[in-house]
Amino acid sequence: MLASQGYIVVAADYVGFGQSQGTPHPYLLSRPTARAVIDMIEAAQAWRAASGVADNGQLYLVGYSEGGYATMAAQREITRSGSPLGTQLQASLPAAGPYDMQATLDGLLALVRDEYPAVAWMLRPGTLRYLGSSVRNEVRRALLRELVPGDADVRYDARFLDAYLADDRDTLMQESSVHWGWTPTAPVYLFHGRDDQTVPFAASVSALNTLRATGGAPVTLRECSSVTPAGHVACVPEYFTYALQVMANTAHGL
């Protein structure tokens, strides 16, 4: 869709996908996720320079769901590291991503409680570390099922779930959450559906409030409004329409 409008599109495989399939995918771990995106952008730039393929020097980061998470992870790493990509970045458009992992997993845990009403009373943030090993393993599997497609053929290194089940908020924040610890230097256009049952809407609200509080570039949150309920998959078409509008309105010197 984006390429058909004349954009040069660089779509990075994550570790564990593509030619690296078989390697455990560092799922929702911020550093390797960001590096996969940034390394691919830099490699594509080097290839274009060597091949004489011109571009206008304007970069947008676009992604939905885990791709939304990867978008924010990459923007944060570009900003923190002072990468030259920062001068090219016009805006990012992270959509429906689990940026705040604590808020995301707290929301998904509520769904697990609905699935297991007999033990719902013990499935609460702050008490998970007291669960027996069999219950913890079942809760871990249930949480992963909420995030990963049932037909996935990729090995997932989901260590963030172990930190969550141990009530280790610091490790979860340091290794997985991407909404904190940086100040945007390019606008952030968040997008999410309020009825999303895969990635809770609360993750985007947390990111919005945290990033706005830094006093950096503008940060907004657009709610999906074209479908009811505004669920995870149902909002994808509206997101890409919105992304094209934002890019058209913010590009310059074409």
Side-chain angles (χ1 to χ4, degrees), residues 27-28 98 100-116 123 125 128 139-148 160-161 164 192 196-203 232:
Y27 188 37
L28 300 178
D100 181 338
M101 286 302 302
Q102 186 72 43
T104 298
L105 292 172
D106 285 350
L108 294 181
L109 185 64
L111 298 179
V112 173
R113 286 199 297 271
D114 293 339
E115 185 178 350
Y116 297 94
L123 303 183
L128 295 174
V139 172
R140 190 185 196 279
R141 285 191 291 269
L143 287 170
L144 194 58
R145 283 198 303 269
E146 297 291 339
L147 288 163
V148 176
F160 67 92
L161 286 175
Y164 181 69
H192 209 148
D196 195 330
Q197 296 293 297
T198 301
V199 179
F201 186 72
H232 194 70

Side-chain angles (χ1 to χ4, degrees), residues 4-250:
S4 72
Q5 302 299 309
Y7 291 97
I8 296 172
V9 179
V10 178
D13 279 326
Y14 303 124
V15 174
F17 290 74
Q19 290 190 4
S20 65
Q21 189 168 26
T23 301
H25 170 47
Y27 188 37
L28 300 178
L29 295 176
S30 60
R31 179 167 292 181
T33 300
R35 285 305 337 161
V37 175
I38 295 169
D39 288 351
M40 189 63 178
I41 294 173
E42 292 175 343
Q45 287 186 334
W47 180 88
R48 290 200 304 278
S51 304
V53 178
D55 63 68
N56 64 10
Q58 298 176 45
L59 172 66
Y60 290 89
L61 296 174
V62 176
Y64 196 93
S65 193
E66 185 181 1
Y69 175 89
T71 293
M72 188 174 291
Q75 184 179 12
R76 183 174 75 163
E77 182 62 22
I78 288 169
T79 304
R80 282 177 157 183
S81 66
S83 165
L85 294 175
T87 62
Q88 302 171 35
L89 183 60
Q90 305 302 300
S92 74
L93 294 104
Y99 324 108
D100 181 338
M101 286 302 302
Q102 186 72 43
T104 298
L105 292 172
D106 285 350
L108 294 181
L109 185 64
L111 298 179
V112 173
R113 286 199 297 271
D114 293 339
E115 185 178 350
Y116 297 94
V119 294
W121 61 272
M122 70 174 77
L123 303 183
R124 303 284 177 184
T127 65
L128 295 174
R129 65 184 181 275
Y130 301 115
L131 299 178
S133 60
S134 60
V135 177
R136 284 165 64 98
N137 288 337
E138 186 57 35
V139 172
R140 190 185 196 279
R141 285 191 291 269
L143 287 170
L144 194 58
R145 283 198 303 269
E146 297 291 339
L147 288 163
V148 176
D151 60 353
D153 61 353
V154 173
R155 293 172 57 201
Y156 286 87
D157 174 1
R159 71 186 72 171
F160 67 92
L161 286 175
D162 299 319
Y164 181 69
L165 290 169
D167 290 321
D168 187 350
R169 291 175 176 252
D170 185 62
T171 295
L172 191 64
M173 177 175 285
Q174 294 291 334
E175 294 187 356
S176 292
S177 293
V178 294
H179 68 303
W180 72 281
W182 63 293
T183 301
T185 56
V188 180
Y189 294 87
L190 294 159
F191 178 96
H192 209 148
R194 186 173 287 272
D195 303 315
D196 195 330
Q197 296 293 297
T198 301
V199 179
F201 186 72
S204 286
V205 174
S206 177
L208 174 73
N209 293 335
T210 301
L211 292 175
R212 274 185 171 175
T214 67
V219 182
T220 60
L221 173 56
R222 164 79 168 261
E223 287 194 37
C224 175
S225 60
S226 61
V227 292
T228 302
H232 194 70
V233 175
C235 288
V236 170
E238 181 182 337
Y239 165 67
F240 279 102
T241 300
Y242 174 61
L244 284 169
Q245 291 171 347
V246 169
M247 289 189 287
N249 292 336
T250 57

